């Protein structure tokens, strides 16, 4: 097998980086991503008041607003 992707470096988190994608063989590829998530659905999910409040409580209003602002940025994965 071959590691194809690992989690981005986050110096503020004192944990090992997670494996995000592995090529097991020519036929089998495993991923930890959620390719079924799309920006429009994610935005609707984040607009739900209980989901918004949960994110604000866990990560702060600044992170919530940044996420909503960047939700359709093709250069960002979350």
């Amino acid at each position: 097998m071959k590691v194809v992707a690992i989690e981005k470096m986050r110096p503020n988190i004192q944990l090992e980086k997670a494996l995000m994608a592995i090529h097991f063989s020519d036929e089998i590829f495993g991923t930890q991503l959620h390719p079924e998530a799309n920006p429009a659905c994610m935005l609707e999910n984040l607009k739900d008041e209980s989901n918004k409040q949960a994110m604000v409580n866990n990560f702060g209003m600044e992170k919530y607003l940044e996420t909503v602002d960047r939700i359709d940025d093709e250069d960002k994965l979350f």
Side-chain angles (χ1 to χ4, degrees):
M1 84 179 155
K2 178 181 177 186
V3 174
V4 179
I6 58 172
E7 189 175 23
K8 69 180 180 178
M9 178 61 82
R10 294 182 292 173
N12 59 320
I13 297 178
Q14 302 301 312
L15 297 171
E16 295 292 324
K17 293 187 286 182
L19 293 175
M20 301 303 286
I22 300 172
H23 206 170
F24 292 101
S25 70
D26 289 341
E27 298 83 20
I28 301 173
F29 185 82
T31 179
Q32 175 61 16
L33 304 172
H34 294 278
E36 75 282 1
N38 64 65
C41 290
M42 292 299 299
L43 185 57
E44 287 305 311
N45 183 276
L46 289 173
K47 286 180 177 180
D48 177 85
E49 191 58 37
S50 63
N51 293 334
K52 175 183 177 180
Q53 198 56 51
M55 185 168 181
V56 170
N57 290 345
N58 287 305
F59 304 104
M61 180 58 83
E62 184 177 342
K63 186 65 173 180
Y64 173 81
L65 293 173
E66 177 183 287
T67 301
V68 169
D69 183 57
R70 295 179 176 179
I71 200 119
D72 60 352
D73 186 338
E74 293 179 5
D75 292 335
K76 305 288 185 270
L77 292 175
F78 51 97

